[in-house]
Amino acid sequence: MQSHQFENQLTEQVMACHECDLLVEYPDLEPGSTAVCPRCDYVMTKRHKNAMERLLAFAVSGLIFLLMSAMYPFLSFSAGGQDRVVTLLQSIDVLADEQQVLLALLIMVVILIIPAAFLMGVVYVVGALKYWTILPPHGRRVLRFILALAPWSMVEIFLIGTMVSLIKIASLATISLGMSFWSYIAFTILMTLVLLHLDKVQVWSWVENSDVQTTV
Ligand SMILES: [Zn+2]
Protein backbone atom coordinates (compact mmCIF):
# COMPACT_ATOMS: atom_id res chain seq x y z
CA MET A 1 0.00 0.00 0.00
CA GLN A 2 1.47 3.30 -1.09
CA SER A 3 -0.41 5.18 1.63
CA HIS A 4 2.11 4.11 4.29
CA GLN A 5 4.92 6.03 2.58
CA PHE A 6 2.96 9.24 2.91
CA GLU A 7 1.88 8.89 6.52
CA ASN A 8 3.92 11.93 7.60
CA GLN A 9 1.72 14.11 5.40
CA LEU A 10 -1.09 13.30 7.84
CA THR A 11 -4.27 14.13 5.98
CA GLU A 12 -3.14 13.36 2.42
CA GLN A 13 -3.48 9.79 1.28
CA VAL A 14 -2.44 8.23 -1.98
CA MET A 15 -4.26 5.53 -3.83
CA ALA A 16 -3.83 3.94 -7.23
CA CYS A 17 -6.92 4.01 -9.45
CA HIS A 18 -8.34 0.54 -9.86
CA GLU A 19 -9.13 1.18 -13.53
CA CYS A 20 -6.20 3.19 -14.91
CA ASP A 21 -3.50 2.92 -12.17
CA LEU A 22 -3.15 6.68 -11.82
CA LEU A 23 -1.79 7.61 -8.37
CA VAL A 24 -4.27 9.97 -6.80
CA GLU A 25 -3.76 12.01 -3.63
CA TYR A 26 -6.90 12.69 -1.68
CA PRO A 27 -7.67 14.39 1.64
CA ASP A 28 -9.66 12.87 4.52
CA LEU A 29 -13.11 12.50 3.08
CA GLU A 30 -16.26 13.75 4.77
CA PRO A 31 -19.12 11.25 5.22
CA GLY A 32 -21.26 11.28 2.10
CA SER A 33 -18.42 12.32 -0.21
CA THR A 34 -16.84 10.37 -3.04
CA ALA A 35 -13.28 10.29 -4.44
CA VAL A 36 -13.32 10.06 -8.23
CA CYS A 37 -10.28 9.40 -10.43
CA PRO A 38 -9.47 12.66 -12.30
CA ARG A 39 -8.34 10.73 -15.37
CA CYS A 40 -11.05 8.12 -15.91
CA ASP A 41 -13.88 9.12 -13.50
CA TYR A 42 -13.73 5.76 -11.71
CA VAL A 43 -15.27 5.97 -8.21
CA MET A 44 -12.25 5.14 -6.04
CA THR A 45 -13.89 5.31 -2.64
CA LYS A 46 -17.24 6.39 -1.29
CA ARG A 47 -17.72 7.46 2.33
CA HIS A 48 -21.25 6.51 3.27
CA LYS A 49 -22.99 8.36 6.09
CA ASN A 50 -23.41 6.16 9.19
CA ALA A 51 -21.73 3.37 7.23
CA MET A 52 -21.06 1.15 10.27
CA GLU A 53 -24.63 1.40 11.59
CA ARG A 54 -26.09 0.76 8.15
CA LEU A 55 -23.77 -2.17 7.44
CA LEU A 56 -24.68 -3.79 10.76
CA ALA A 57 -28.42 -3.21 10.33
CA PHE A 58 -28.44 -4.59 6.77
CA ALA A 59 -26.20 -7.56 7.60
CA VAL A 60 -28.14 -8.63 10.72
CA SER A 61 -31.52 -8.34 8.96
CA GLY A 62 -30.07 -10.14 5.93
CA LEU A 63 -29.01 -13.05 8.13
CA ILE A 64 -32.49 -13.26 9.71
CA PHE A 65 -34.17 -13.35 6.29
CA LEU A 66 -31.65 -15.91 5.02
CA LEU A 67 -32.44 -18.13 8.02
CA MET A 68 -36.17 -17.70 7.39
CA SER A 69 -35.76 -18.62 3.74
CA ALA A 70 -34.09 -21.87 4.76
CA MET A 71 -36.85 -22.73 7.26
CA TYR A 72 -40.16 -21.97 5.56
CA PRO A 73 -41.71 -23.41 2.36
CA PHE A 74 -40.20 -21.89 -0.76
CA LEU A 75 -43.16 -22.60 -2.98
CA SER A 76 -45.99 -25.02 -3.38
CA PHE A 77 -47.40 -26.21 -6.66
CA SER A 78 -50.29 -28.33 -7.69
CA ALA A 79 -50.57 -30.23 -10.93
CA GLY A 80 -52.81 -33.12 -11.88
CA GLY A 81 -54.56 -33.08 -8.50
CA GLN A 82 -51.30 -33.38 -6.57
CA ASP A 83 -50.05 -30.73 -4.18
CA ARG A 84 -46.43 -30.38 -3.29
CA VAL A 85 -44.62 -28.02 -0.95
CA VAL A 86 -40.95 -27.44 -1.56
CA THR A 87 -38.44 -25.81 0.76
CA LEU A 88 -35.14 -24.38 -0.36
CA LEU A 89 -33.21 -27.24 1.25
CA GLN A 90 -35.54 -29.85 -0.26
CA SER A 91 -34.93 -28.48 -3.73
CA ILE A 92 -31.21 -29.03 -3.13
CA ASP A 93 -32.00 -32.51 -1.80
CA VAL A 94 -33.93 -33.37 -4.95
CA LEU A 95 -30.86 -32.59 -7.02
CA ALA A 96 -28.72 -34.78 -4.78
CA ASP A 97 -31.21 -37.64 -5.21
CA GLU A 98 -30.95 -37.31 -8.96
CA GLN A 99 -27.22 -38.04 -8.85
CA GLN A 100 -26.42 -34.35 -9.20
CA VAL A 101 -24.60 -34.25 -5.89
CA LEU A 102 -21.88 -31.88 -7.07
CA LEU A 103 -24.42 -29.42 -8.48
CA ALA A 104 -26.51 -29.66 -5.30
CA LEU A 105 -23.43 -28.91 -3.17
CA LEU A 106 -22.42 -26.02 -5.41
CA ILE A 107 -25.88 -24.43 -5.22
CA MET A 108 -25.99 -24.81 -1.46
CA VAL A 109 -22.55 -23.19 -1.10
CA VAL A 110 -23.35 -20.33 -3.49
CA ILE A 111 -26.87 -19.44 -2.32
CA LEU A 112 -26.67 -20.21 1.40
CA ILE A 113 -23.24 -20.90 2.86
CA ILE A 114 -21.14 -18.16 1.21
CA PRO A 115 -23.76 -15.41 1.78
CA ALA A 116 -24.17 -16.52 5.42
CA ALA A 117 -20.38 -16.56 5.99
CA PHE A 118 -20.08 -13.18 4.30
CA LEU A 119 -22.80 -11.51 6.40
CA MET A 120 -21.52 -13.09 9.64
CA GLY A 121 -18.03 -11.82 8.79
CA VAL A 122 -19.40 -8.29 8.28
CA VAL A 123 -21.25 -8.40 11.61
CA TYR A 124 -18.18 -9.82 13.40
CA VAL A 125 -15.65 -7.23 12.16
CA VAL A 126 -17.84 -4.13 11.84
CA GLY A 127 -19.66 -4.91 15.11
CA ALA A 128 -16.37 -5.11 17.05
CA LEU A 129 -15.03 -1.96 15.39
CA LYS A 130 -18.22 -0.06 16.10
CA TYR A 131 -18.95 -1.07 19.69
CA TRP A 132 -15.47 -1.75 21.12
CA THR A 133 -13.32 0.10 18.52
CA ILE A 134 -11.14 -2.98 18.31
CA LEU A 135 -10.35 -5.39 15.54
CA PRO A 136 -11.53 -8.80 16.84
CA PRO A 137 -9.31 -11.93 16.77
CA HIS A 138 -8.45 -12.89 13.17
CA GLY A 139 -10.20 -9.67 12.13
CA ARG A 140 -7.77 -8.91 9.31
CA ARG A 141 -8.11 -12.41 7.91
CA VAL A 142 -11.93 -12.23 8.11
CA LEU A 143 -11.91 -8.81 6.47
CA ARG A 144 -9.70 -9.97 3.60
CA PHE A 145 -12.03 -12.97 3.17
CA ILE A 146 -15.14 -10.73 3.07
CA LEU A 147 -13.59 -8.30 0.61
CA ALA A 148 -12.45 -11.17 -1.62
CA LEU A 149 -15.94 -12.72 -1.58
CA ALA A 150 -17.81 -9.48 -2.27
CA PRO A 151 -17.36 -9.41 -6.07
CA TRP A 152 -18.48 -13.07 -6.30
CA SER A 153 -21.92 -12.69 -4.77
CA MET A 154 -24.40 -14.54 -6.95
CA VAL A 155 -27.58 -14.32 -4.91
CA GLU A 156 -29.34 -12.05 -7.39
CA ILE A 157 -28.41 -14.40 -10.23
CA PHE A 158 -30.03 -17.26 -8.31
CA LEU A 159 -33.14 -15.15 -7.83
CA ILE A 160 -33.37 -14.29 -11.53
CA GLY A 161 -32.81 -17.97 -12.40
CA THR A 162 -35.59 -18.99 -10.01
CA MET A 163 -38.00 -16.48 -11.50
CA VAL A 164 -37.28 -17.70 -15.04
CA SER A 165 -37.96 -21.31 -13.94
CA LEU A 166 -41.16 -20.20 -12.18
CA ILE A 167 -42.46 -18.63 -15.37
CA LYS A 168 -41.81 -21.92 -17.15
CA ILE A 169 -43.48 -24.02 -14.43
CA ALA A 170 -46.43 -21.61 -14.18
CA SER A 171 -47.76 -22.88 -17.50
CA LEU A 172 -47.71 -26.48 -16.23
CA ALA A 173 -48.85 -26.15 -12.63
CA THR A 174 -50.49 -23.77 -10.20
CA ILE A 175 -47.83 -22.18 -8.06
CA SER A 176 -48.09 -20.31 -4.81
CA LEU A 177 -45.03 -18.68 -3.41
CA GLY A 178 -44.15 -19.36 0.20
CA MET A 179 -42.67 -17.33 3.02
CA SER A 180 -39.19 -18.56 2.10
CA PHE A 181 -39.43 -17.08 -1.39
CA TRP A 182 -40.29 -13.61 -0.07
CA SER A 183 -37.65 -13.92 2.64
CA TYR A 184 -35.05 -14.73 0.00
CA ILE A 185 -36.06 -11.64 -1.97
CA ALA A 186 -35.70 -9.50 1.17
CA PHE A 187 -32.34 -11.15 1.85
CA THR A 188 -31.17 -10.41 -1.73
CA ILE A 189 -32.05 -6.72 -1.34
CA LEU A 190 -30.28 -6.50 2.03
CA MET A 191 -27.22 -8.35 0.68
CA THR A 192 -27.04 -5.84 -2.19
CA LEU A 193 -27.26 -2.96 0.31
CA VAL A 194 -24.40 -4.46 2.34
CA LEU A 195 -22.29 -4.77 -0.82
CA LEU A 196 -23.08 -1.15 -1.76
CA HIS A 197 -22.01 0.14 1.65
CA LEU A 198 -18.88 -1.98 2.01
CA ASP A 199 -16.14 0.33 0.76
CA LYS A 200 -12.71 -1.32 0.89
CA VAL A 201 -10.80 1.90 1.61
CA GLN A 202 -13.23 3.01 4.29
CA VAL A 203 -13.23 -0.36 6.04
CA TRP A 204 -9.42 -0.46 6.20
CA SER A 205 -9.40 3.12 7.52
CA TRP A 206 -11.62 1.98 10.42
CA VAL A 207 -9.13 -0.80 11.11
CA GLU A 208 -6.22 1.66 11.12
CA ASN A 209 -8.08 3.93 13.53
CA SER A 210 -9.07 1.11 15.91
CA ASP A 211 -7.50 0.76 19.38
CA VAL A 212 -6.24 -2.79 19.27
CA GLN A 213 -5.08 -4.47 16.14
CA THR A 214 -4.54 -8.14 15.71
CA THR A 215 -1.65 -9.29 13.57
CA VAL A 216 -3.59 -11.65 11.34
ZN1 LIG B 1 -8.53 6.13 -13.20
Side-chain angles (χ1 to χ4, degrees):
M1 288 289 272
Q2 282 90 349
S3 60
H4 294 296
Q5 296 162 14
F6 297 87
E7 265 169 3
N8 52 355
Q9 295 182 8
L10 283 172
T11 54
E12 288 293 322
Q13 288 156 77
V14 174
M15 186 172 34
C17 171
H18 187 268
E19 286 295 300
C20 73
D21 281 336
L22 180 70
L23 285 178
V24 181
E25 272 184 53
Y26 64 97
D28 273 339
L29 295 167
E30 292 292 313
S33 61
T34 306
V36 179
C37 171
R39 185 155 70 188
C40 72
D41 285 343
Y42 176 77
V43 175
M44 299 175 73
T45 174
K46 194 166 176 8
R47 297 295 152 97
H48 297 276
K49 284 178 189 156
N50 307 321
M52 280 179 164
E53 292 82 353
R54 287 189 194 183
L55 273 172
L56 283 172
F58 297 145
V60 170
S61 340
L63 276 169
I64 294 169
F65 281 113
L66 186 63
L67 189 71
M68 280 169 67
S69 69
M71 285 163 58
Y72 293 98
F74 193 70
L75 56 89
S76 58
F77 56 90
S78 53
Q82 277 192 316
D83 285 340
R84 197 165 170 203
V85 178
V86 186
T87 67
L88 207 58
L89 294 174
Q90 272 170 350
S91 63
I92 293 166
D93 234 26
V94 169
L95 276 175
D97 284 347
E98 290 173 2
Q99 313 297 319
Q100 306 273 2
V101 181
L102 215 63
L103 186 64
L105 270 176
L106 185 74
I107 291 177
M108 191 146 114
V109 167
V110 170
I111 70 165
L112 289 175
I113 296 173
I114 290 182
F118 173 82
L119 292 178
M120 283 193 270
V122 170
V123 173
Y124 179 66
V125 175
V126 180
L129 286 168
K130 159 98 179 111
Y131 292 104
W132 296 283
T133 57
I134 57 154
L135 192 64
H138 304 287
R140 277 173 193 275
R141 196 174 285 165
V142 174
L143 204 49
R144 275 196 291 267
F145 172 74
I146 298 169
L147 294 170
L149 278 185
W152 297 99
S153 163
M154 290 188 203
V155 291
E156 66 282 4
I157 296 169
F158 168 74
L159 200 63
I160 293 166
T162 310
M163 285 176 171
V164 171
S165 332
L166 282 179
I167 293 165
K168 284 185 184 168
I169 304 170
S171 57
L172 307 168
T174 316
I175 298 172
S176 51
L177 301 167
M179 174 84 114
S180 160
F181 179 85
W182 302 113
S183 301
Y184 204 86
I185 289 193
F187 153 73
T188 308
I189 294 167
L190 288 160
M191 180 82 173
T192 309
L193 285 169
V194 170
L195 290 167
L196 282 174
H197 284 79
L198 195 70
D199 184 276
K200 210 180 219 172
V201 181
Q202 186 171 30
V203 174
W204 284 118
S205 79
W206 293 335
V207 173
E208 267 149 44
N209 294 327
S210 66
D211 297 338
V212 182
Q213 294 188 21
T214 49
T215 48
V216 285

